[in-house]
Structures are given as C-alpha cells and as structure tokens.
Amino acid sequence: MTDRTDSPAVRRLDDWDLDRLEALADEYDTPLYAIDLDRVKENYSRFSAAFPDAHVMYAAKAHTGKAVLEAVLEAGGTIECAAWGELQRAIDAGADPNELQYTAVNPPDHDLDYAADLGAENPGLTITIGATDTLERLKERGYDGRIAIRINPGIGTGHHEKVATGADAKFGIPYERVPEVADRVREEFDLVGIHAHAGSGVLTDDLEDHCRAISRVGDMARRVGDSDLEFVDVGGGYGVPYREDEEPLDLEKTSDMVREAVGDLDAQLKLEPGRYIVADAGLILSEVNTIKEAPDTTVVGVDASLATLIRPAMFGSYHPMLNVSAPDREPREVTVGGPVCTSADVFAHDRPIARPEREDVIAIGNAGSYGYELASQFHSQPRPAEVALEDGESRVVRRRETLEDVTRVEREAEQSER
C-alpha cells in the first residue's frame, strides 16, 4: 500500500505537470475543473496521521463530487455533512449511514424529514443541533437518537469575516446555555458529543485564536460531563496557503496546540477538515480569448468567470495563476477577468503572469475546495466539465453542461402544466 503520509505539505501550481494540463485543456475543452484524487488521498492520510488517536472526518461541503467522496472513503475517512443532499451523496459514494454526522444549521423541514428517517433505519447516524428548535422539530418527527450539541464559543477565526462562524449567532447554542440544553437532550435523546467550528482558512499564524476557541469547547465538554460523551468535535477550518509566499500549515504544531487547548478528555477528539483535503488537489483551466490594452492595465479575458469560481468576487480571495502554455515568457502585470457583465468578475488585478497571448491556457490554482461547489449558471452559462486524475489516468466525472441542461427545469415545468 502506498504511504501517503510523507507527501509534500502543499502543492503549488508549479508542481503540476504543465504538459499534462495543456493536454487536458485540449482534450476536454475549457473552462475545465481538474481534481487529483491521488492528492486528495495524500492530504487526508497526512492530516489523519497528525492526529493518530482522533477521528478525522471529511467536511463534504468543500467538494461533494462522488469521485472525491469515494477517494476519502478509500483513504479510510468518514464524512461530515451539512445538508440532506450531502447525506445522500455520501451514501451514494459508499458511506455507511451509521458513520455519518449531519450538522444541521437552521435545517429546512425536508432536511429534518430525511435525517429523521435515515436515523430510524441507521441508529449510528449522529445529528448535530445548533438550536433548541431543532430538538423540538426532531421530536415531532419521532427521532430520539444520537445528538451532538453545537456550541457557539464566541470566538471566530479564519481568512475572512464571512467564515468566522465561531462568533456568529447563526451557529450553535449560546455558550452559557449549553449545560441546560445538555440536560434536556439527555432526557429525550442520546447525547453523544459536543461540537464547535471556529472558522475557516486557519494557517499556522492563526492557531492561537483558533485554540482559544476550541479550549472553550474542551472546558464545556468537561462541564457537561465528558466521561458520558462519545466525542468532542472541534470542527475543521484548517487551511492551505493560497499565496505563493505563504507557508503551509504546520501539522505537527497544529496537533500539539489543539491537543493542549482541548485538554484531557475521556471522550474521543474529532476533527472535520474540508478545505485542507481538497483545495490544492484541484484547479481550473481557462483559455485566453481577449488581450486589451487599457490606460492603466492590460486586460486579459478568459473563458472562466465568477460563475466558474466565485471566491475572488465573494471573499476577495487570492488564487494563484500560471500561464500553462508559456510559463517561461517574461512576466507582465495584467488584470485577468471573465465574460460576466460585472466588475466583480475579475480573478486578479495587476498580477505578474508570463505574458499571456490569445489561446494560451491559464491555470487557476487551489480551486478544489468551494470551487465547483459554488459554481452557477449566471448569464445562462452551462457549468464546466470536471476531470478526475488518478493513477496516471484521467476521466470525466462531471460532463460539461449544455444550454439544454440550463433550461431543462423550465421545459419540464411547461410540460407539467400541459
């Protein structure tokens, strides 16, 4: 069996086989998502090895593609889900429903209907609640199974205020109310765990804030009786370096600091990385279609857009870029944008890139997490294909959409009215 634990801690764009990437763009057209399943398995194995006595789940919301979920399961992982669709997709990928954890955030009725029915047939399913309303709604559905309580630790961390969930009232039971809620859960359900998620995109320099948040989780677990709990889940949020000069997360230091912050527990430690597992395993290939000289910059138009990757528009996120077709040309500062009619549709401003020309292929890195997951059909643009790389081979795991795919729900609605 391949030892994946000693693989490099981060994969930069320069580490990809550029000839292969150009061949993929030529064979499958652009824009194109590529996801390296070997790298997914390496990342999961490396992270899991850093926490040998913990239970490491994969947070499916980072990338719910079936091929990715199958790769995580092959590497020995289990799946944490945030919606009913993710539960079903995990099961379709081969996950045992008894090993799934569903983290409900203001869950719609349909979600709770599905989860309650799934729990009735699979008593090992765990439902994490962040509001007492959810308990009432589950009880109405006849559910009396495994419950974990999501805590709001009052401390948020991460790369952007929009992902600092640990300080957002939307997420979790207010800290001082947790003991009384725990008592109630024990009366009506099976309380198996305590959970929190402080934020996303945590790198080594962010660990102190992250650990301040999870130390409160450990304190609360002991306060409600960790000897009676099966697990204490401190969430995910462990990041990857998006900028070329950022260092990768120091996993050894992370493991030591997390263990120290949580403190001694009779319950098992759980973690649920998502971004760390898939971010640097995926990228986007896009073709240059326009070169325009403007007074203050050179605009490079590509066929990917914010409908392909919305993170730069949503969070102001930096994604590394590389001219795959001509990496050795002299660099030139350019502004790279897509075909969507808004100024937000820009991937980079005044970024030094090997001088692009029309029909060059540009790679946009670290797109494996929250990339295809947040893709849309804005401007009636069909979503791109996704190609999986594994054991030296490539295969289409999501075909390129057509305009018929975009309009299908309208045509089906028209037909149903006839």
Side-chain angles (χ1 to χ4, degrees):
M1 182 178 292
T2 303
D3 181 6
R4 305 187 185 98
T5 60
D6 61 352
S7 59
V10 61
R11 188 182 202 181
R12 311 285 188 180
L13 267 180
D14 288 341
D15 297 326
W16 291 76
D17 182 333
L18 302 192
D19 290 337
R20 187 181 189 192
L21 293 182
E22 193 160 32
L24 289 174
D26 183 62
E27 180 175 359
Y28 299 108
D29 204 1
T30 59
L32 179 71
Y33 267 95
I35 185 76
D36 188 335
L37 302 180
D38 295 320
R39 181 64 181 174
V40 170
K41 288 178 275 193
E42 289 173 4
N43 287 343
Y44 178 85
S45 296
R46 186 187 325 101
F47 191 96
S48 184
F51 294 89
D53 55 348
H55 181 161
V56 177
M57 301 176 290
Y58 166 64
K61 62 182 174 290
H63 191 304
T64 57
K66 184 178 181 182
V68 167
L69 298 178
E70 289 174 337
V72 170
L73 294 170
E74 181 184 327
T78 55
I79 313 293
E80 182 270 335
C81 304
W84 81 271
E86 292 180 6
L87 286 168
Q88 184 60 61
R89 296 189 76 174
I91 293 168
D92 290 344
D96 180 351
N98 288 289
E99 296 180 346
L100 295 177
Q101 186 165 314
Y102 165 49
T103 305
V105 180
N106 301 335
D109 285 344
H110 183 277
D111 281 48
L112 287 189
D113 291 342
Y114 181 93
D117 289 345
L118 187 64
E121 298 176 4
N122 302 275
L125 175 75
T126 301
I127 298 180
T128 304
I129 62 100
T132 54
D133 276 5
T134 306
L135 291 175
E136 295 165 5
R137 295 165 68 201
L138 285 170
K139 191 174 179 181
E140 290 169 359
R141 289 161 171 78
Y143 181 84
D144 60 0
R146 294 165 56 88
I147 292 288
I149 298 173
R150 181 167 186 168
I151 296 173
N152 185 313
I155 300 171
T157 60
H159 68 88
H160 194 279
E161 63 181 10
K162 292 181 181 179
V163 299
T165 54
D168 189 335
K170 175 181 175 180
F171 300 94
I173 302 291
Y175 193 78
E176 291 304 324
R177 289 196 58 206
V178 172
E180 66 179 84
V181 175
D183 289 340
R184 176 180 171 185
V185 171
R186 285 189 170 109
E187 291 176 0
E188 301 175 336
F189 303 89
D190 180 13
L191 178 61
V192 296
I194 294 293
H195 169 279
H197 178 75
S200 297
V202 174
L203 291 174
T204 306
D205 290 345
D206 306 309
L207 283 174
E208 287 190 10
D209 284 342
H210 178 74
C211 287
R212 281 196 304 116
I214 63 176
S215 68
R216 288 173 62 80
V217 182
D219 290 343
M220 183 56 71
R222 285 180 287 273
R223 188 169 159 186
V224 302
D226 64 297
S227 60
D228 294 329
L229 299 175
E230 182 181 304
F231 65 82
V232 175
D233 181 350
V234 296
Y238 304 99
V240 297
Y242 283 75
R243 294 182 180 272
E244 293 85 349
D245 59 353
E246 288 179 320
E247 292 298 318
L249 182 68
D250 184 333
L251 273 184
E252 183 177 354
K253 181 177 181 179
T254 301
S255 178
D256 290 343
M257 289 183 66
V258 166
R259 275 296 185 189
E260 182 178 356
V262 174
D264 293 334
L265 292 170
D266 289 332
Q268 183 179 44
L269 178 67
K270 269 192 179 185
L271 303 100
E272 47 188 62
R275 184 190 313 271
Y276 185 91
I277 307 302
V278 291
D280 73 356
L283 52 70
I284 297 167
L285 298 174
S286 185
E287 183 176 291
V288 175
N289 53 53
T290 302
I291 305 290
K292 180 172 67 175
E293 299 296 338
D296 298 324
T297 189
T298 297
V299 177
V300 175
V302 295
D303 58 6
S305 72
L306 62 77
T308 315
L309 179 70
I310 201 171
R311 293 190 73 255
M314 181 181 289
F315 299 121
S317 301
Y318 180 101
H319 281 261
M321 304 183 75
L322 179 68
N323 188 337
V324 171
S325 301
D328 296 327
R329 284 196 200 127
E330 73 281 5
R332 184 174 185 180
E333 288 192 356
V334 296
T335 295
V336 182
V340 167
C341 189
T342 170
S343 297
D345 186 27
V346 174
F347 295 113
H349 290 277
D350 300 323
R351 180 85 61 85
I353 299 175
R355 180 177 51 80
E357 297 180 357
R358 287 184 60 196
E359 299 185 355
D360 281 351
V361 174
I362 303 294
I364 304 173
N366 278 2
S369 62
Y370 307 103
Y372 199 104
E373 286 302 302
L374 295 174
S376 74
Q377 297 171 336
F378 186 41
H379 274 355
S380 291
Q381 293 190 99
R383 282 173 292 200
E386 183 177 36
V387 173
L389 312 178
E390 188 173 27
D391 297 329
E393 303 293 330
S394 64
R395 68 181 191 276
V396 175
V397 291
R398 283 193 258 218
R399 67 168 173 79
R400 188 175 304 280
E401 288 184 341
T402 65
L403 188 57
E404 286 192 359
D405 294 315
V406 176
T407 61
R408 176 173 291 119
V409 291
E410 293 174 328
R411 288 183 283 106
E412 290 175 349
E414 290 172 352
Q415 292 169 3
S416 69
E417 291 295 318
R418 291 173 186 168

